[in-house]
Amino acid sequence: MTDILSALTQPAGGPSHILTLGNGWSTAIDQLHDGAYSVEHQGVIDELLRAIEAGEETSIVLRTFTAETSQTLANGTRIPVKEVRGWYIADGRLHPLSEQQMFAASCTDTITGEPIAPEPSVRCTDAHPIEVGV
């Protein structure tokens, strides 16, 4: 489990992430000071590993909370910029999406195909290559 979490999160930077699978399952992932990971919903990681091992086709979206502030609310709450990157899984491999592919996937209504506005405080970015051995 640590190998896949490291492969996904280390190049992304930041200690706090949200991982979402194509089936809608999501979990918070935090890297602790000792290098270990805290995973909110372990079942999401188990499902990710199962999908890779079974060669299923699905997607992964990783939101990484940055130290950069997008805006500060009137009450003083700081809203961080989130970097969003994604991969699709096919044949047991993770295929990175480019910034443009991620933007298109995030800003297109899946039912109508019409463009939708990007989420505030979110910046799409290229996903990094990942070699996985489960």
Side-chain angles (χ1 to χ4, degrees):
M1 173 189 83
T2 301
D3 289 346
I4 188 69
L5 293 178
S6 292
L8 285 164
T9 64
Q10 292 276 328
S16 297
H17 312 271
I18 296 176
L19 179 82
T20 303
L21 300 181
N23 62 8
W25 291 14
S26 264
T27 187
I29 300 170
D30 293 299
Q31 186 169 17
L32 306 174
H33 294 292
D34 64 359
Y37 289 91
S38 170
V39 177
E40 180 184 30
H41 301 293
Q42 180 59 44
V44 176
I45 305 305
D46 295 341
E47 179 65 12
L48 169 61
L49 294 172
R50 189 199 61 71
I52 293 169
E53 193 170 280
E56 289 182 9
E57 291 188 14
T58 192
S59 61
I60 302 170
V61 173
L62 183 71
R63 292 173 179 269
T64 301
F65 293 83
T66 70
E68 188 179 339
T69 298
S70 166
Q71 60 183 318
T72 303
L73 302 179
N75 67 1
T77 302
R78 183 182 131 309
I79 306 297
V81 171
K82 276 96 44 202
E83 289 185 339
V84 177
R85 53 186 52 83
W87 298 262
Y88 69 93
I89 301 173
D91 301 320
R93 299 188 56 146
L94 279 73
H95 304 272
L97 297 176
S98 69
E99 175 185 344
Q100 294 80 13
Q101 290 170 312
M102 195 66 228
F103 184 85
S106 300
C107 297
T108 304
D109 185 289
T110 56
I111 296 171
T112 66
E114 294 295 317
I116 55 176
E119 289 182 64
S121 308
V122 170
R123 177 174 53 225
C124 294
T125 190
D126 292 336
H128 48 274
I130 296 177
E131 294 295 324
V132 223
V134 290

